[in-house]
Amino acid sequence: QVQLVESGGGLVQTGGSLRLSCAASARTFARYSMGWFRQAPQKEREFVAAISWSGDTTYYADTVKGRFILSRDNAKNTVYLQMNSLKSEDTAVYYCAAGYRDSALESSTAYAYWGQGTQVTVSS
């Protein structure tokens, strides 16, 4: 069982930045691919970014490419989502996820464990 705890959400103005963190309880954290998804009110959950277990490969949704950067520190069992140039449409609850697969990481089915989410609100 893996527990994931997100932090770093909050209220920010358009154009601002936030860094989300996701701390994992797993002793074998380095074996998991990690992803971030988000869900805005009355919308489906959507893929944001993912990183392979080794950290060598990252994937981004087109909507965040060039603005968000995903990284991981396996020594600290933590992944970081640096969000820059935030827009009002980035407002959502952001969820961290962990999974065993190392492909098709844009799909929520790649992940076995999910965090509780952290709210990000971008005001104009």
Side-chain angles (χ1 to χ4, degrees):
Q1 188 74 12
V2 177
Q3 292 186 326
L4 303 172
V5 179
E6 302 98 333
S7 61
L11 175 64
V12 64
Q13 289 189 328
T14 300
S17 298
L18 280 176
R19 189 176 80 156
L20 303 184
S21 299
C22 174
S25 64
R27 288 184 293 176
T28 56
F29 175 75
R31 297 182 184 178
Y32 293 92
S33 295
M34 301 295 295
W36 283 93
F37 289 74
R38 67 187 182 186
Q39 187 166 18
Q42 300 179 330
K43 291 191 175 181
E44 303 248 332
R45 188 173 297 190
E46 65 175 6
F47 169 75
V48 176
I51 189 166
S52 62
W53 63 269
S54 65
D56 290 344
T57 307
T58 51
Y59 308 84
Y60 297 96
D62 288 342
T63 52
V64 307
K65 201 172 292 183
R67 299 188 297 123
F68 290 12
I69 301 171
L70 181 58
S71 61
R72 67 187 297 160
D73 185 339
N74 287 343
K76 295 184 178 180
N77 281 17
T78 302
V79 292
Y80 305 98
L81 183 66
Q82 178 66 43
M83 306 188 296
N84 302 318
S85 302
L86 283 162
K87 306 175 182 179
S88 58
E89 50 263 45
D90 294 319
T91 295
V93 177
Y94 284 70
Y95 297 91
C96 175
Y100 300 105
R101 283 165 47 180
D102 213 26
S103 62
L105 296 181
E106 300 88 347
S107 172
S108 61
T109 61
Y111 303 93
Y113 305 101
W114 293 82
Q116 294 299 307
T118 185
Q119 176 71 47
V120 171
T121 303
V122 184
S123 66
S124 55

